[in-house]
Amino acid sequence: MSDCLFCNIVEGEMDTDIVYDDDKVVAFEDINPQAPVHILIVPKKHIETISDIEADDYQLVGHIYKVANKLSEKYEIADEGFRIVSNCKDNGGQTVYHIHFHLLGGRQFQWPPG
Ligand code: AMP
Ligand code: ZN
């Protein structure tokens, strides 16, 4: 087992229901959902924080947005709208240090965030 929770999920070592899987990313429902739809989109590559994304990863990040659009259709939140969030380090509220994109939908969100 890795020290990284999301690497373990990527490796299939956790009992996690995967809702999307391809050669670059997996997606699964957040264990503590903050909205009716709350999916985490996680690259298979271990990248600790948004600050650690390098030029070689730009295509991967674009791919994540493509997957987010696909999932927004699947979960029927595309028409009404949704929010994608990536928390970075302490001030951003990051708790798992393997980058991930929260896809949130199914209710009205407020701005500014808390
Ligand atoms: P963040 O706080 O932005 O780093 O997001 C980490 C997210 O991972 C939180 O929303 C947690 O609820 C979620 N999480 C933690 N452990 C699991 C797990 N085993 N399965 C699914 N989601 C998890
Ligand atoms: Zn990892």
Side-chain angles (χ1 to χ4, degrees), residues 36-100:
V37 176
H38 187 170
I39 307 291
L40 297 176
I41 304 170
V42 179
K44 291 186 170 178
K45 178 179 178 183
H46 180 90
I47 302 171
E48 279 202 10
T49 76
I50 295 295
S51 304
D52 298 306
I53 292 172
E54 296 177 339
D56 279 356
D57 304 315
Y58 292 168
Q59 207 178 3
L60 172 62
V61 174
H63 180 72
I64 286 167
Y65 275 83
K66 182 176 160 189
V67 171
N69 275 334
K70 215 177 264 187
L71 288 170
S72 75
E73 298 281 352
K74 177 176 174 183
Y75 284 86
E76 300 183 334
I77 56 173
D79 288 346
E80 293 199 324
F82 52 86
R83 185 172 286 186
I84 293 174
V85 175
S86 280
N87 299 320
C88 183
K89 302 180 190 166
D90 278 354
N91 272 3
Q94 184 175 5
T95 59
V96 178
Y97 277 67
H98 176 138
I99 64 166
H100 49 281

Side-chain angles (χ1 to χ4, degrees), residues 1-63:
M1 290 270 272
S2 162
D3 287 343
C4 172
L5 173 65
F6 287 173
C7 279
N8 287 328
I9 290 177
V10 165
E11 295 300 326
E13 287 169 0
M14 307 287 290
D15 191 19
T16 303
D17 279 341
I18 301 298
V19 300
Y20 179 88
D21 188 2
D22 66 23
D23 57 325
K24 299 185 192 68
V25 306
V26 295
F28 48 89
E29 294 187 7
D30 196 293
I31 204 168
N32 183 21
Q34 302 301 312
V37 176
H38 187 170
I39 307 291
L40 297 176
I41 304 170
V42 179
K44 291 186 170 178
K45 178 179 178 183
H46 180 90
I47 302 171
E48 279 202 10
T49 76
I50 295 295
S51 304
D52 298 306
I53 292 172
E54 296 177 339
D56 279 356
D57 304 315
Y58 292 168
Q59 207 178 3
L60 172 62
V61 174
H63 180 72

